[in-house]
Amino acid sequence: VVYSSNIPLEKLVADEIIKGPGNENEGYPTINPNAKAVLVTVIDGICYVNMDPEYLSGTDTAGNDAAVYSITNSLVELDGINKVQISVDDAQGNAFSQSGASKEKDALTGLFERNLDIVESNNVK
């Protein structure tokens, strides 16, 4: 990925996760590709990710955990980031809707840490 050095690496990572895979053979999007990471900043080891309201509409291919931990697990791989806090439109604790048609909601509260239990392994023996 070619990017401007004026863009913080954590913002680039969030944007690439939102963009999703190049095609279905590489996987499915975990976040609505129309969503935008409005602000991504790191303070004292915590990466604060403020998403626009499109984040709440989710995708048809991934659940809430995949959306949260695709960003979290990727960001904590960067130096200086240990935890991630996701908010929507600066309203911490806003509800996350799994899909636009579904009104199932989970709160986005607290700090998220790496969760490798959600990662599928493709180890070949």
Side-chain angles (χ1 to χ4, degrees):
V1 174
V2 177
Y3 72 100
S4 168
S5 61
N6 294 333
I7 298 172
L9 188 54
E10 54 274 4
K11 171 81 164 100
L12 175 69
V13 169
D15 288 345
E16 287 296 310
I17 296 295
I18 293 166
K19 187 168 77 172
N23 63 54
E24 287 184 13
N25 294 331
E26 296 175 2
Y28 297 97
T30 58
I31 297 171
N32 180 344
N34 295 320
K36 292 188 179 26
V38 178
L39 179 65
V40 181
T41 187
V42 179
I43 301 171
D44 295 331
I46 300 171
C47 185
Y48 297 91
V49 181
N50 181 25
M51 302 294 294
D52 74 353
E54 284 293 320
Y55 180 78
L56 297 175
S57 63
T59 69
D60 293 335
T61 57
N64 298 355
D65 284 349
V68 169
Y69 288 106
S70 61
I71 290 180
T72 300
N73 289 346
S74 298
L75 288 172
V76 298
E77 290 294 321
L78 301 177
D79 288 337
I81 299 176
N82 303 309
K83 297 178 182 181
V84 175
Q85 182 177 62
I86 302 171
S87 60
V88 175
D89 226 12
D90 280 327
Q92 181 184 346
N94 234 347
F96 177 91
S97 174
Q98 186 171 332
S99 70
S102 165
K103 296 301 177 191
E104 297 176 34
K105 296 178 180 176
D106 291 327
L108 284 174
T109 57
L111 300 173
F112 297 98
E113 297 182 37
R114 179 188 330 227
N115 179 359
L116 297 181
D117 292 339
I118 195 169
V119 178
E120 181 177 311
S121 176
N122 289 328
N123 293 336
V124 177
K125 295 183 179 186

